[in-house]
Amino acid sequence: MPKVSDEYREARREEIAQAALRVLERNGVRDTSIADIVAESGLSTGAIYSHFTNKAELARYVVGRYLLPRIDALEEAGQRGQLVTPRQALQGMLSMFAEVGLSPSLILQFWGEAMVEPGVHDEMLRTAGRLRASLALAIGPWARTQTAGETDAASLAAETARSIAALAQGYIANSAVFGPRTVDDYLESTAAVLAS
C-alpha cells in the first residue's frame, strides 16, 4: 500500500477544516456534529476522525493554520528589533480576519463553547497565552523606546500586549454582534475614544 505524503495529508486536513468551518458558520459550534462535517465534506466518518477527533482538535488546527502564522510574523519582527507599535500589532492581527476569511462570529462561538467544553477551554487558554507572549515580543522594541530600563520595558510590553488582546477581542465581538466593520474604522474610533 503506497504511503500517503505529508502534502496530501495536509491538503486533506485543510479540506476537512474548510468543510467544518462552513458547517460551523451555518449551524453554530454547539450544534455541529461530526456527521454534519462528513455530509459537508463528502468524506467518510473515518477520514474525518483520522484528522480531527473532536472540536478542540479542530480549534487547534484553525488557530495553527490561520492565527499562529500572523502571530509568528509579529513576533519575528520584534525579535529582529523592528519597531512595531501597539497599533501596528493590533492592525496586523485584525487584518487576518479579512485576509483568510475567518468569521468573527465563529471565533465568538468558540469562546462560548470554551466556557462549557474543557478541551476547547484549554485550547483557548493556550492560544491566549501564546498570543500575549508573542505580542509582548513584537512590541518589545517599541516598549524600550518608552522606558528607561529593560525591566520597565518588559512590564510595559506585557501590559500593552494584554490591552492589544482585549482590543482585538472587542473587535471580534463587535463585528460578530453588530456586523462587519473595517479594521481602519475600528482603530480610528478606538483611538478617538481613548484620546478623549
Side-chain angles (χ1 to χ4, degrees):
M1 184 169 185
K3 186 172 180 169
V4 175
S5 72
D6 290 339
E7 293 83 16
Y8 176 83
R9 190 163 171 72
E10 182 55 32
R12 182 53 56 101
R13 284 175 67 84
E14 179 65 14
E15 178 185 356
I16 294 166
Q18 287 298 317
L21 289 173
R22 288 190 301 271
V23 174
L24 289 163
E25 183 76 30
R26 216 173 30 244
N27 298 353
V29 173
R30 185 169 269 315
D31 294 330
T32 294
S33 67
I34 292 294
D36 296 325
I37 298 170
V38 166
E40 181 75 19
S41 68
L43 300 171
S44 70
T45 303
I48 304 295
Y49 275 116
S50 71
H51 293 279
F52 303 107
T53 59
N54 56 41
K55 291 176 190 174
E57 284 185 16
L58 178 61
R60 188 175 305 118
Y61 178 81
V62 168
V63 165
R65 177 76 170 91
Y66 299 111
L67 182 60
L68 292 185
R70 180 59 55 95
I71 293 171
D72 290 344
L74 287 170
E75 185 176 316
E76 288 168 12
Q79 289 174 328
R80 287 190 313 270
Q82 181 180 337
L83 193 67
V84 176
T85 67
R87 182 184 178 121
Q88 289 168 327
L90 178 59
Q91 188 168 23
M93 282 180 49
L94 297 181
S95 63
M96 176 229 13
F97 290 99
E99 289 171 12
V100 301
L102 196 56
S103 164
S105 66
L106 187 55
I107 299 299
L108 193 60
Q109 288 180 56
F110 267 114
W111 291 345
E113 189 72 7
M115 298 301 106
V116 295
E117 280 288 326
V120 178
H121 184 262
D122 292 345
E123 188 57 37
M124 182 186 73
L125 288 179
R126 251 191 311 279
T127 301
R130 166 84 192 281
L131 172 63
R132 285 176 56 185
S134 294
L135 285 170
L137 282 170
I139 62 171
W142 166 84
R144 287 190 283 283
T145 69
Q146 306 296 307
T147 60
E150 192 63 32
T151 303
D152 290 340
S155 178
L156 176 62
E159 285 303 313
T160 304
R162 183 175 181 173
S163 295
I164 292 168
L167 290 168
Q169 290 169 322
Y171 172 82
I172 292 165
N174 188 278
S175 296
V177 173
F178 298 113
R181 187 174 192 189
T182 69
V183 171
D184 288 338
D185 285 347
Y186 179 74
L187 292 174
E188 291 305 317
S189 63
T190 300
V193 167
L194 295 176
S196 54

